[in-house]
């Protein structure tokens, strides 16, 4: 919230308080859109301690039972992710800090944590209409500001998933907006109908495999590496999809349609949670 020219002074104060301001940060911004402005701060303050306890426990940095403030820093560890929190602009900002660049795996893990914690908090406060945006990873004091700004932009508005991650090119947001239209939803459903008819548990692995296959230019080997599957498993799933849909994956128009359909459909469905 503070002006950027105060960042150096505030960073020095943070270091004095043993806050890991110089690490790599990913911000989560939780908003309570279901409440009026006068009730949001109280509701978010009530869930802040619970959110921190859950996140610190899941990341192995749970604090012992003490009267410390909810936003007190977690114990230091060379490997542990540290979580801190603050109420900012009628929103709850949860900050994960890493000792090194978390990379794509760390960002995915943080997004999974965000989905899990929002699910848990929503069960406690269903009337709050909780929505959460997740920023990218950035380093240092200014990185906190940048990730928090990205998280704010990523907070979902209206219908759709309760949690969304910042996307630098805006592709995910555009796809979700496109998929929200009745015409697009019907087109995707029709295109993928034979696969979706298998049910969520069987359909989702097929769709993720198809997306990976198409994202890697129809390469089973590269898709297998990205998906952590055996190449034969990728091939078998792709053959199953072709058998079900009758799609010609050598046709560029068909590939594009299926790629959009997979991305939109999977983006609108929360990922598997640990």
């Amino acid at each position: 919230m503070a002006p950027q020219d105060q960042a150096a002074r505030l960073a020095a104060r943070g270091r004095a308080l043993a806050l890991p301001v110089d690490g790599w940060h990913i911000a989560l911004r939780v908003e309570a859109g279901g409440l009026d402005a006068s009730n949001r701060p109280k509701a978010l303050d009530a869930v802040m301690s619970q959110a921190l306890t859950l996140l610190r426990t899941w990341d192995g940095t749970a604090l012992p039972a003490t009267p410390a403030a909810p936003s007190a820093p977690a114990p230091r560890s060379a490997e542990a992710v540290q979580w801190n929190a603050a109420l900012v602009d009628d929103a709850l900002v949860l900050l994960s800090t890493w000792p090194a660049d978390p990379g794509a795996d760390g960002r995915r893990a943080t997004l999974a944590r965000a989905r899990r914690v929002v699910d848990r908090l929503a069960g406690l406060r269903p009337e709050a209409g909780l929505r959460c945006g997740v920023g990218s990873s950035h380093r240092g004091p200014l990185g906190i500001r940048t990730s928090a700004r990205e998280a704010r932009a990523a907070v979902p508005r209206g219908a759709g998933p309760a949690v969304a991650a910042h996307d630098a090119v805006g592709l995910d947001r555009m796809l979700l907006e496109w998929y929200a239209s009745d015409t697009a939803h019907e087109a995707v459903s029709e295109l993928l109908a034979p696969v979706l008819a298998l049910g969520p548990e069987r359909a989702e692995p097929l769709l993720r495999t198809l997306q990976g296959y198409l994202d890697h230019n129809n390469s089973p080997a590269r898709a297998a590496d990205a998906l952590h599957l055996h190449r034969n498993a990728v091939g078998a799933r792709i053959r199953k999809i072709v058998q079900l849909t009758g799609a010609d994956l050598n046709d560029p128009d068909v590939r594009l349609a299926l790629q959009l359909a997979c991305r939109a459909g999977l983006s609108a469905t929360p990922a598997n949670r640990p």
Side-chain angles (χ1 to χ4, degrees), residues 23-25 78 97-103:
W24 286 80
H25 311 285
T97 302
W98 306 66
D101 186 353

Side-chain angles (χ1 to χ4, degrees), residues 209 220-237:
T209 302
R222 292 171 60 194
D225 288 341
L227 296 167
H228 305 292
L229 293 172
H230 192 279
R231 179 174 176 172
N232 291 344
V234 172
R237 290 183 181 181

Side-chain angles (χ1 to χ4, degrees), residues 178-190:
W178 169 72
Y179 187 64
S181 71
D182 292 339
T183 301
H185 190 83
E186 290 174 4
V188 169
S189 298
E190 182 177 349

Side-chain angles (χ1 to χ4, degrees), residues 195 199-209 237 266 269-272:
V195 178
E201 291 187 4
R202 296 177 62 191
E204 184 171 339
L206 291 176
L207 294 179
R208 292 197 180 280
T209 302
R237 290 183 181 181
L266 290 170
T269 303
N272 290 334

